[in-house]
Amino acid sequence: MSALEDFQEKVRNQWSSFTNELRKRIFGANNENLDLLVDSFYKLEPPQRNAVLAGGVALLGFLVFGFIALYFAQVSSLNRELNKRFDALYEIRELKADYLREDRRFQALTEAINGGSGALRIKPFFEKVANEQGVQLEGLTETKSQLPAENALSEKFQEVRVDMRLNNISIPKLLNFVVEVEKTGGFIRVQELQIRARYGTKLFFDAQIKARGLAAIGS
């Protein structure tokens, strides 16, 4: 309703401005042009007056037609502008709905990360899993780095890379360890796994693991 009222007010204002300006140009600011015209008209001979009257009627008809054409042109222009504004308003509402959906998905993702690896202390976590699985970690190192600025998670989380060795370990225990890390750690994933045979045995191996995850900034 407000948009329609704005449209009607624009039409009224433009029409009023146009008619006032036209009246000043035709009749003068204080109607001095009209007085001069009337005085000149009465000084003419009757045939000249008739010709002037006929010309005046024709001019008046032309002006009326011009006013009507101009009025409808202005109405059409304002109507197109109003339609554009309604289209823009509809587009904004669509974008807002899309933003709210994406924001809900983002909030759910951050909550999932916080509930998984986000709140974890990385080294104690890996040591705990190793103790539960009965394996010995060696050379465990943790490196944290910022996520790229264009990543939506960069304001809340940082990337964590973990390197470690598991020496003299069987394949079943190694696989169990990897499964427990990824299952319990939520957003921690084993990115690289290297297995080397040990001299003198076919049952035990040395493994190098590189894992990657997300942790809350400041954790």
Side-chain angles (χ1 to χ4, degrees):
M1 189 64 181
S2 176
L4 181 59
E5 291 176 353
D6 290 343
F7 170 72
Q8 293 174 339
E9 184 65 23
K10 280 188 175 183
V11 172
R12 286 194 293 267
N13 290 340
Q14 290 196 9
W15 179 253
S16 176
S17 299
F18 175 76
T19 53
N20 288 337
E21 183 63 25
L22 186 62
R23 183 182 61 79
K24 287 182 181 180
R25 288 183 178 274
I26 295 176
F27 300 114
N30 297 309
N31 294 329
E32 62 271 11
N33 293 343
L34 181 61
D35 294 338
L36 178 62
L37 183 64
V38 171
D39 185 60
S40 300
F41 177 77
Y42 281 110
K43 291 179 181 179
L44 297 174
E45 296 296 327
Q48 293 175 324
R49 291 181 185 177
N50 292 336
V52 170
L53 286 175
V57 170
L59 178 61
L60 181 62
F62 176 77
L63 291 175
V64 170
F65 177 79
F67 291 158
I68 293 174
L70 180 62
Y71 172 77
F72 281 106
Q74 291 293 326
V75 169
S76 178
S77 175
L78 290 172
N79 189 46
R80 287 194 298 270
E81 182 181 346
L82 183 63
N83 288 334
K84 288 180 180 179
R85 293 192 177 186
F86 276 124
D87 290 341
L89 180 61
Y90 178 77
E91 185 177 357
I92 289 173
R93 288 177 177 173
E94 286 283 308
L95 291 174
K96 182 180 180 181
D98 291 341
Y99 168 78
L100 291 176
R101 281 194 298 270
E102 292 302 319
D103 185 62
R104 286 193 293 269
R105 292 176 59 187
F106 178 74
Q107 294 301 328
L109 176 61
T110 56
E111 290 175 4
I113 295 174
N114 277 324
S117 63
L120 286 177
R121 296 174 60 197
I122 300 300
K123 284 186 177 181
F125 164 72
F126 277 97
E127 291 170 352
K128 177 176 178 293
V129 174
N131 289 333
E132 290 175 350
Q133 297 302 312
V135 299
Q136 183 68 39
L137 293 180
E138 295 183 13
L140 191 151
T141 60
E142 174 186 352
T143 305
K144 295 181 179 179
S145 60
Q146 292 183 338
L147 292 170
E150 61 271 16
N151 191 320
L153 298 172
S154 61
E155 294 184 1
K156 295 184 177 181
F157 300 98
Q158 57 191 338
E159 184 181 62
V160 181
R161 295 178 182 271
V162 184
D163 291 347
M164 70 200 80
R165 295 190 308 275
L166 292 86
N167 295 329
N168 199 28
I169 185 172
S170 66
I171 293 299
K173 280 197 172 185
L174 176 60
L175 293 179
N176 288 338
F177 176 80
V178 171
V179 168
E180 288 302 315
V181 164
E182 296 198 346
K183 181 175 68 175
T184 310
F187 284 83
I188 294 179
R189 293 291 181 264
V190 172
Q191 206 172 26
E192 185 178 331
L193 175 60
Q194 295 179 352
I195 301 175
R196 293 188 299 273
R198 290 178 63 89
Y199 179 76
T201 178
K202 294 182 180 180
L203 298 177
F204 296 93
F205 303 84
D206 293 335
Q208 180 79 29
I209 294 179
K210 293 184 179 182
R212 178 184 178 187
L214 295 175
I217 293 176
S219 64

